Amino acid sequence: MNLEGRKIVVNKSSKELSELLKTPENYKDFMPDGLQKFESREDGFKFGLQGMPEIALKIDEVTEEKAVLKSASSSLDFALTATLKPLSENQTEVQMIFEGKFNPFIKMMVEKPLQNFINTLTDKIEAYK
């Protein structure tokens, strides 16, 4: 299952963004309003949203071109990637891409909430100062 967020322009360099996305605690600023729990870890974070199970993510790779978060659970196989495309010295195009391997039943249950989550992340990153 693949989902994509809209492409946005952030008024930061790709270097600034990649530095921001290397630190687990910074992801709290991008979480949806229904955040009930956020726990920063050395290599990632765990969060809980209202009406959803807690999800643990590890920061797998961060470069000036992308930031890749992967599931910290062996029972769920997915990655959430933020592509970073420099437009100028202080502007970067960002797009969230979700790739997951789910059975059809799970896909049917999670597709809409995941798309909403990606859209919210996108909105929060776009509004980030």
Side-chain angles (χ1 to χ4, degrees):
M1 176 173 83
N2 295 334
L3 300 171
E4 292 184 1
R6 63 188 173 85
K7 291 180 180 177
I8 58 169
V9 175
V10 178
N11 292 320
K12 291 193 180 304
S13 70
S14 60
K15 182 177 173 62
E16 283 178 282
L17 279 174
S18 64
E19 287 301 313
L20 180 77
L21 297 173
K22 283 180 184 173
T23 308
E25 185 62 33
N26 291 339
Y27 286 85
K28 186 175 187 176
D29 295 333
F30 305 131
M31 291 289 121
D33 294 334
L35 185 68
Q36 293 190 315
K37 177 180 183 177
F38 188 91
E39 187 180 298
S40 182
R41 299 174 173 181
E42 186 179 316
D43 65 343
F45 57 94
K46 183 180 197 178
F47 68 97
L49 297 173
Q50 195 170 338
M52 287 181 65
E54 288 183 7
I55 298 171
L57 296 172
K58 65 178 183 180
I59 299 172
D60 188 59
E61 175 187 8
V62 179
T63 67
E64 288 187 28
E65 290 82 41
K66 65 182 174 183
V68 181
L69 303 176
K70 290 196 173 177
S71 170
S73 166
S74 58
S75 62
L76 293 173
D77 183 9
F78 68 84
L80 181 61
T81 303
T83 61
L84 310 175
K85 181 180 169 189
L87 298 177
S88 69
E89 198 174 289
N90 57 5
Q91 282 195 323
T92 306
E93 182 183 88
V94 179
Q95 183 177 28
M96 303 298 294
I97 299 169
F98 177 90
E99 296 169 301
K101 295 184 177 106
F102 300 122
N103 69 45
F105 179 71
I106 298 289
K107 179 185 176 194
M108 184 178 73
M109 287 176 45
V110 301
E111 191 166 17
K112 187 172 183 187
L114 271 173
Q115 186 66 59
N116 290 339
F117 178 68
I118 290 167
N119 293 344
T120 300
L121 282 179
T122 302
D123 292 345
K124 295 261 184 166
I125 291 168
E126 186 176 37
Y128 191 77
K129 300 289 181 226

